[in-house]
Amino acid sequence: MKFKAIFCLFLLSFICYACGSDEINHKSDQPRNILGEKVFKRNCIACHGLDGKAKTNGALDITESQLSMEERILLIKNGRKTMTPFKNMLSEKEMKAVAEFTFTLK
Ligand code: HEC
């Protein structure tokens, strides 16, 4: 009986661990960031273009950005100058995914 309980706990923690590793991590070789790409195409290309290089409405070339992951998330959340804030339009997960995606633009 006791063994069963321990086994269940082990199984549970393994499931949690497996879900946790689903998190986006831009250091490892990830498959394509599909969510980030989708969010980018829906929300960002009007000013930044498909390749992130367009400078419509005073936007900056994202491929030349020196901002860190955290700074990008904050910028996407709060906006800057003519860049719209996205905190009411995107979920935390979507903002993170799209920030992630901007690092893959070349
Ligand atoms: C309405 C136009 C507009 C839209 C839509 C827009 N941006 Fe911007 N973006 C800007 C402008 C303008 C700047 C430059 C702000 C400044 O000069 O301070 C900028 C700057 C940036 C930068 C920083 C460049 C740097 O190095 O400082 C990043 C990264 C960025 N945008 C990502 C995004 C992402 C991701 C989205 C979609 C979620 C997005 N932008 C949507 C206009 C836009």
Side-chain angles (χ1 to χ4, degrees):
M1 214 46 199
K2 209 171 182 186
F3 175 74
K4 246 186 181 167
I6 289 167
F7 182 73
C8 278
L9 257 171
F10 175 75
L11 203 69
L12 255 173
S13 58
F14 178 75
I15 291 167
C16 288
Y17 175 75
C19 292
S21 67
D22 195 33
E23 287 243 330
I24 303 150
N25 174 8
H26 67 101
K27 285 191 192 86
S28 63
D29 276 331
Q30 286 281 324
R32 267 174 67 221
N33 177 355
I34 295 166
L35 177 64
E37 190 176 343
K38 196 176 81 186
V39 174
F40 189 82
K41 284 184 175 157
R42 279 200 193 142
N43 301 283
C44 318
I45 59 174
C47 300
H48 292 287
L50 258 184
D51 57 3
K53 292 187 171 89
K55 297 176 181 169
T56 320
N57 295 319
L60 296 172
D61 183 342
I62 296 181
T63 63
E64 283 172 4
S65 177
Q66 302 295 315
L67 298 185
S68 68
M69 179 71 184
E70 286 71 29
E71 290 168 329
R72 287 180 197 213
I73 293 176
L74 273 178
L75 167 72
I76 293 164
K77 244 181 215 174
N78 302 317
R80 219 165 70 201
K81 296 189 187 169
T82 47
M83 179 161 160
T84 24
F86 286 91
K87 60 173 176 284
N88 296 323
M89 292 156 74
L90 300 174
S91 68
E92 290 282 332
K93 192 178 167 192
E94 287 169 328
M95 290 189 284
K96 193 172 169 226
V98 75
E100 189 75 35
F101 179 74
T102 59
F103 282 99
T104 66
L105 294 166
K106 285 185 186 89

